[in-house]
Amino acid sequence: MTLAAGIGYALLALGPSLSLFVSVISKKPFLILTVLSSTLLWLSSLIVLSGVWRGFLPLKSTSRWPYGLLIFTSIAFQEGLRVLFWKVYKRLEDLLDDFADRVSKPRLYQTDKMEIALAGGLGHGVAHAVFFCLSLLTPAFGPATFFVDRCSQLPFFLVSAIIALAFVTIHTFSMVIAFNGYAEGNKVDQVFVPVVHLVAGMVTLVNFASGGCIIGIPLLYFIASLTLIHCGKMVWRRLTENRSRQGN
Amino acid sequence: MAQNTKPTSILDSLGEEIIRIIAPVSICMFMVVILVSVLDSSSSSSTSASVTSIATIAYSETNSDSSWDKFVGALLNSLVFVAVVTAVTFILVLLFYLRCTKFLKLYMGFSAFVVLGFMGGEIALFLIEDFSIPVDCITFVVALFNFAVVGVLAVFMSKMAILVTQAYLVVIGMLVAYWFTQLPEWTTWLLLVAMALYDLAAVLLPVGPLRLLVELAISRDEDIPALVYEARPVTHNDSGAVGRVAQRRVWRGRSGENSDHGSNNNPNANSVFVENVDSGSNSTSNASVVPDSSTESNTLVSGHNDATLVRAEEGWVPERDAELSAPLIDPRMNIQPQQSELEGIGLGSSGAIKLGLGDFIFYSVLVGRAAMYDFMTVYACYLAIIAGLGITLALLALYQKALPALPVSIALGVLFYVLTRFLLEVFVVECSLNLLMF
């Protein structure tokens, strides 16, 4: 609607990630590099998916199952990539530990590992927000606004910003949960992340119904807060375990 | 409390040099994108001001030509441009060989002044026009003149605060990149590809002008007079390093300065790349000399009196630079190449990474041209270029010789631009408009 509105939408989607970036990630250059590479990875996965689905677009908007299939395949692919990301991270962790030994510094702390996972997740989240919300915001800097039929109560930009915020949260913290799950071999955590991602994706299908976004968005936020709480509990548990182990 | 005695983790400082190069490149790209979107949206696109310059001498693109015509015309344009650049670079090598260093320095100063004064002035005029900023002629001229003169001093006098020098280099890169984005579209893309290929050839082929230049500079222990961005080297105040002898990184087996810790160039202590390099040298710095040597090594080394420093330069692969003469894209002055900039990436004698200004310019041109299409391509191209830069830095540490910084980044940038424009955009718009996200 104007410059202010455009910036407002952008900050709505990316505000928490920006503050996370400034407070935690910008202090350590390695984390900035991690954010950039995980953003690139997410973008590449998105490009591959769009390449695969390009032939079928635009889908007929009457039935829902093509969209469901699209979301399902996309999420499956991205979760597969997450496992790959984890394997690469494992190797990187070994390299870093060797390097730390060589320069006689301590090996990676528990908090370091979690910070790397957080940075990876933030990269994914920022990539989502940038490509699904920010890149479409260009008209919002102009004099008018845009409404979608299915969700006509709010401007399209606002809706996409809100949804993007939820997804940023989900992506950021599910990476921490996932990495921790793979490290500990915790099956619950390992399964939790793909399931949450899939459920969140499917919930957006609810937006198809006219006025569906009234139900869809709160559901999405419920899932996001679930992820956040689970991650918080897990981190707290790990850190207190660690501290008690160090105290012994 | 365990916190007080907890030693710093390696994560605190790893990868800092890379960030110190990525940050200015990102800033330059960001400012070019802002300039392009602000100045483009205001001026109507129908008035395509066809700039006459070397880059469009063969063919001026008009909207009515067919795609094939545009392609062929753009190809001719870029070939002409590359030919001119090659010729000028060879002239530069000749001048350097004949030791006309003073002339080269004056020429560089003059071109920096022209860029800052005239190009910067013209862009400032556009901005004043767009935003209706009330400023009178005399103030404007005085301010511009001062700005340009300080800029010339900043890139030449090594005594200036390094932040000012770096800022001015970024501004020069930004101004030239903005002018390049004013070229017609096909010409711009093919020009980028052609310059990437030229860079590859000129640096790696034994007969390439840039390689000759670098080898001349190495054999004479001089630095090439050119515009180069040098990232500040990383200094560490390691409490554990006191008493340890600072050792220099060994490159290509030439060294022997291991005992020198007086005027010491601070090799970066925590780059992962040091580990890939089979130097085995322990690159931590003597804490007491850190403040001194950092100020010394921050400057572009020119005529250093310190003998050990000069010897040190032998051991390094110094600036791997290329002189690029960009034509002045100004309708008034037609075809005068007026600039020396540098392309390519190398390690400065202080261990700091040096990136030629030509690289800044062409990265920003790519991103600026992507901005003329849509912001999605901007983000994709930005990530691709940064990835390319990272890969080039990794290769630099691996091969330890001068490397062209353009090819990988431009290749990835163009690839991602094409993929985003034709594949991703449709997909994302389709999903978003239906409020489907994942």
Side-chain angles (χ1 to χ4, degrees), chain A residues 28 99 102 112 150 197, chain B residues 9 12 275 430 434-435 438:
Chain A
K28 306 196 173 175
F99 176 70
R102 227 176 309 181
D112 287 339
R150 297 212 181 94
H197 196 183
Chain B
S9 151
D12 284 344
E275 299 319 299
E430 171 90 19
N434 288 314
L435 298 179
F438 53 88

Side-chain angles (χ1 to χ4, degrees), chain B residues 327-340:
Chain B
L328 195 63
I329 306 180
D330 187 341
R332 296 193 300 271
M333 305 156 39
N334 249 337
I335 315 169
Q336 269 311 323
Q338 291 220 5
Q339 274 180 350
S340 316

Side-chain angles (χ1 to χ4, degrees), chain A residues 66-160:
Chain A
Y67 289 106
L69 190 64
L70 185 130
I71 293 195
F72 183 74
T73 51
S74 312
I75 294 185
F77 183 66
Q78 287 188 340
E79 290 303 323
L81 273 188
R82 197 191 296 268
V83 178
L84 187 70
F85 198 39
W86 161 254
K87 295 209 162 60
V88 169
Y89 165 72
K90 265 320 261 184
R91 202 170 308 170
L92 183 71
E93 200 181 302
D94 293 334
L95 271 177
L96 286 177
D97 278 337
D98 287 342
F99 176 70
D101 288 338
R102 227 176 309 181
V103 292
S104 320
K105 282 212 171 169
R107 297 187 146 211
L108 287 176
Y109 295 116
Q110 191 59 39
T111 44
D112 287 339
K113 296 184 192 172
M114 287 198 208
E115 276 177 357
I116 298 181
L118 185 70
L122 191 68
H124 273 27
V126 164
H128 173 101
V130 160
F131 286 100
F132 275 104
C133 171
L134 275 189
S135 51
L136 301 171
L137 270 189
T138 325
F141 288 97
T145 187
F146 181 64
F147 288 86
V148 190
D149 290 334
R150 297 212 181 94
C151 196
S152 50
Q153 291 90 347
L154 301 169
F156 164 68
F157 305 115
L158 189 58
V159 175
S160 75

